[in-house]
Amino acid sequence: MAISTYLATLKWGETESAVAKVIDIKDFPDLMGEPNMLETTTLSDGAQTYIPGIKSMDSMAFTYNYTKEDFAKVKADEGKPLHYSLEFSDGSKFTWQGQHTATLPGKGVDEVIEAGISIAPSTPVEFVDA
């Protein structure tokens, strides 16, 4: 059975056991990068061939509704090495370590002000089947 994004929660803390929900998020990024493709084609091959290389990961951008209180919470932990967890309503979670930066994208007329948290991962994302 499928699940929805309802109750998906981003948590962080200084240790894995200390992770806690700090803000409510509106979205989450791709969590597990695709591997780089390493070309193995020889002159005898009729088509290009590949093997998977290491997984490529970009910064992980999450969006939340701006409030000065939530923005202050994100800023307070900015640049610190932290443990992160994204948890779903079925009890599953994805964990990793990294550091984050607070972001504030531009907006126009009659829009909700949103803010962001951009996490630079320092470990691979691991699936934890609770």
Side-chain angles (χ1 to χ4, degrees), residues 39 66 72 76 101 113 123 126:
E39 186 176 358
Y66 173 86
T101 303
I113 298 175
T123 64
E126 300 290 336

Short mmCIF file of all heavy atoms in Angstrom, two decimals, residues 39 66 72 76 101 113 123 126:
data_model
loop_
_atom_site.label_atom_id
_atom_site.label_comp_id
_atom_site.label_asym_id
_atom_site.label_seq_id
_atom_site.Cartn_x
_atom_site.Cartn_y
_atom_site.Cartn_z
N GLU A 39 32.34 4.60 -18.28
CA GLU A 39 32.30 3.96 -19.59
C GLU A 39 33.35 2.87 -19.71
O GLU A 39 34.51 3.05 -19.35
CB GLU A 39 32.51 4.98 -20.71
CG GLU A 39 32.32 4.37 -22.07
CD GLU A 39 32.44 5.38 -23.20
OE1 GLU A 39 32.63 6.57 -22.93
OE2 GLU A 39 32.36 4.93 -24.35
N TYR A 66 8.31 30.53 6.16
CA TYR A 66 9.14 31.43 6.96
C TYR A 66 8.38 31.98 8.17
O TYR A 66 7.25 32.44 8.06
CB TYR A 66 9.60 32.62 6.10
CG TYR A 66 10.34 33.66 6.93
CD1 TYR A 66 11.69 33.54 7.16
CD2 TYR A 66 9.66 34.74 7.48
CE1 TYR A 66 12.36 34.48 7.93
CE2 TYR A 66 10.31 35.67 8.25
CZ TYR A 66 11.67 35.54 8.48
OH TYR A 66 12.33 36.46 9.25
N ALA A 72 15.34 31.59 12.87
CA ALA A 72 16.36 31.70 13.93
C ALA A 72 16.84 30.33 14.38
O ALA A 72 18.03 30.13 14.65
CB ALA A 72 15.81 32.50 15.11
N ALA A 76 20.64 29.05 13.98
CA ALA A 76 21.39 28.70 15.20
C ALA A 76 22.24 27.45 15.01
O ALA A 76 23.30 27.31 15.62
CB ALA A 76 20.43 28.52 16.37
N THR A 101 22.85 25.08 5.72
CA THR A 101 22.86 26.52 5.54
C THR A 101 21.41 26.98 5.44
O THR A 101 20.59 26.33 4.79
CB THR A 101 23.60 26.91 4.24
OG1 THR A 101 24.92 26.38 4.30
CG2 THR A 101 23.65 28.40 4.04
N ILE A 113 5.79 33.71 2.01
CA ILE A 113 7.24 33.77 2.18
C ILE A 113 7.71 32.42 2.70
O ILE A 113 7.20 31.91 3.70
CB ILE A 113 7.65 34.90 3.14
CG1 ILE A 113 7.21 36.25 2.58
CG2 ILE A 113 9.16 34.87 3.39
CD1 ILE A 113 7.47 37.41 3.51
N THR A 123 27.98 12.10 4.70
CA THR A 123 27.92 10.63 4.68
C THR A 123 26.81 10.22 3.69
O THR A 123 25.93 11.02 3.40
CB THR A 123 27.57 10.04 6.07
OG1 THR A 123 26.25 10.47 6.45
CG2 THR A 123 28.60 10.46 7.11
N GLU A 126 21.34 6.61 4.54
CA GLU A 126 21.06 5.21 4.86
C GLU A 126 19.57 5.02 5.13
O GLU A 126 18.95 5.83 5.84
CB GLU A 126 21.85 4.77 6.10
CG GLU A 126 23.36 4.89 5.96
CD GLU A 126 23.94 3.86 5.00
OE1 GLU A 126 23.33 2.81 4.79
OE2 GLU A 126 25.02 4.15 4.47
#
